[in-house]
Amino acid sequence: MNKLTLMTRLTLGAAVGALALTSCAGTGDDETAPESTSTQDQAQTDTSSPDAQAHDHDPDGGPPPSGIQEATDPTYAVGDHVILNADHMPGMDGAEATISGAFDTTTYSVSYTPTDGGDPVTDHKWVVHEELEDPGEAPLEAGSQVLLNADHMPGMNGAEATIDRSTDETVYMVDFEMDGMEMTNHKWVVESEIQPGN
């Protein structure tokens, strides 16, 4: 009887163990993995959706970077109404805008790969010299490698970039409406991308 009881216990124990392992493996493989992927996809959709609607720009551009010099005699003063001739984003070209800041600095077009895994960005207009990490003396030559210290778009801050070209035109922050969204302190447009308002 002891032999039968021991044998029965071993058999039952093995059966319960196998059932438990099968049950755990099935639950983990079938439910956890897709749920995890689904959550990641949802998170990516949730974070990219507002940016896509805003053309990857925050509606509030925030203050100018530390150390930038206000323009002493800009063509367009703060408060002036202008028309934008820039096509950095859909809906920008031809938009009416108000100047919210005018600065004397070197402004760069840059190419970079976002730190958040986004697609590489080429000829991004614009970043100013004060938005580069330890850049040295301006102007930097085309082809120079720099580290971006700007957060105009997701994945921009901390990204390694290449200078495509530079300009010493007066550079402006502007307020304007684009596709029904109010953009304030948008960074940046240079003087050649602006014309007087009506």
Side-chain angles (χ1 to χ4, degrees):
M1 184 164 179
N2 284 342
K3 276 188 173 183
L4 182 59
T5 306
L6 181 58
M7 189 64 119
T8 305
R9 284 183 186 169
L10 290 174
T11 305
L12 283 174
V16 169
L19 184 60
L21 289 173
T22 304
S23 174
C24 288
T27 301
D29 290 346
D30 296 341
E31 294 174 17
T32 306
E35 188 175 326
S36 173
T37 303
S38 173
T39 303
Q40 283 179 339
D41 291 346
Q42 186 63 37
Q44 289 172 354
T45 301
D46 290 346
T47 55
S48 65
S49 242
D51 293 331
Q53 292 171 358
H55 306 292
D56 286 339
H57 283 260
D58 193 316
D60 181 3
S66 177
I68 196 168
Q69 298 296 310
E70 289 189 14
T72 53
D73 188 25
T75 302
Y76 304 102
V78 172
D80 282 356
H81 295 284
V82 296
I83 304 294
L84 303 178
N85 289 335
D87 61 356
H88 308 171
M89 301 179 290
M92 188 177 194
D93 193 16
E96 296 180 5
T98 303
I99 301 295
S100 58
F103 305 92
D104 287 331
T105 187
T106 301
T107 307
Y108 302 98
S109 168
V110 295
S111 294
Y112 67 97
T113 299
T115 58
D116 63 0
D119 292 334
V121 176
T122 57
D123 196 29
H124 172 81
K125 300 181 184 76
W126 301 95
V127 295
V128 295
H129 195 76
E130 291 76 11
E131 293 176 315
L132 305 179
E133 189 72 33
D134 299 324
E137 196 167 326
L140 299 177
E141 293 183 9
S144 297
Q145 300 296 304
V146 296
L147 192 63
L148 300 178
N149 192 14
D151 58 2
H152 309 170
M153 296 169 48
M156 187 178 209
N157 196 15
E160 295 180 2
T162 302
I163 301 291
D164 294 321
R165 58 194 168 98
S166 67
T167 178
D168 60 1
E169 297 175 66
T170 301
V171 65
Y172 297 89
M173 293 191 311
V174 293
D175 299 342
F176 67 102
E177 185 177 319
M178 182 181 68
D179 296 339
M181 180 175 53
E182 293 290 333
M183 305 285 284
T184 57
N185 286 351
H186 173 76
K187 301 182 179 79
W188 303 92
V189 291
V190 294
E191 192 156 302
S192 59
E193 296 175 319
I194 298 174
Q195 64 185 31
N198 298 330

